[in-house]
Amino acid sequence: MIKKFGSLLSADAANYEKTVKDLEKKNFDGLHFDVMDGHFVRNFAFNATIIASLRRLTNMVFNTHLEIEDPEQYLDMFIDSGSNMITIHPQVCGNTERTLRYLKAKKILSSIALDPDIKIKQIMDYLPLIDNIIVMSVYPGFGEQKFIESSFERIREIKKIIKTRNFDISISVDGSINNETEKKVIDCGADILIYGSSIFGR
């Protein structure tokens, strides 16, 4: 069953509570939080305090996407805020394996984001330790970017690897998911679609 997550990066910050309730009514499965530190990406967004305040409003799954340097230093902060899943970028993680094992020990779903310029082979060693891969179909940091066409083949390739090796890993797609791209990414093997500007009109 395909799941839908709403990325609040594109939502109206003055109306997060209304946004959460609206997404619930539309049967969205979860919320996606792009935490940005101004270093790994040239933008700032969200923190553990905001996530914790929204946690009180809903039981939807929270995926906290740490687009920050040294994410392992902040794991407990975001676990305590109510995150169900935490996504890291291995290229800025001091010890990716240790970080993923820590999330497992804390019973948090572990996820890796695969940026457009990162080769699939670079995350192969981590597959036994993760629950989810986010295929970034745009470059991390900002909304309203154009979908990178090569993402379709990357989704297909990852799906094939998961099936061949019999891993229980879901595939999320993040970036320019809309009426034109959603069916295509599902056909390629996506399990979770992360919607942003296409549903918030920004």
Side-chain angles (χ1 to χ4, degrees), residues 1 18 36 41 53 77 83 92 95 100 111 123 131 140 154 158 161 171 174 178-179 184 198:
M1 180 179 173
K18 180 180 183 301
M36 305 177 186
V41 295
S53 67
M77 181 186 300
S83 302
V92 288
N95 189 318
L100 295 173
S111 172
I123 67 167
D131 301 288
R154 284 160 74 81
I158 292 169
I161 292 169
I171 299 175
D174 184 6
N178 52 43
N179 292 334
K184 293 180 181 179
S198 66

Side-chain angles (χ1 to χ4, degrees), residues 88-96 112-114 118 122-123 126:
I88 61 170
H89 291 254
Q91 67 268 39
V92 288
C93 192
N95 189 318
T96 300
I112 278 182
L114 188 66
I118 301 297
Q122 292 178 246
I123 67 167
Y126 306 125

Side-chain angles (χ1 to χ4, degrees), residues 5 31-35 40 62-68 71-72 75 78 83-93 96 99-100 103 108-115 130-136 170 172 174 192 194:
F5 280 47
L31 298 177
H32 185 89
F33 298 95
D34 292 292
V35 178
F40 176 53
F62 279 15
N63 180 14
T64 299
H65 182 179
L66 299 181
E67 300 173 52
I68 61 177
E72 58 268 43
L75 296 178
F78 289 102
S83 302
N84 304 103
M85 179 188 296
I86 291 181
T87 302
I88 61 170
H89 291 254
Q91 67 268 39
V92 288
C93 192
T96 300
T99 298
L100 295 173
L103 293 174
I108 300 296
L109 296 173
S110 57
S111 172
I112 278 182
L114 188 66
D115 291 358
I130 63 176
D131 301 288
N132 176 262
I133 296 173
I134 296 184
V135 176
M136 296 297 300
S170 59
S172 302
D174 184 6
I192 300 171
I194 301 171

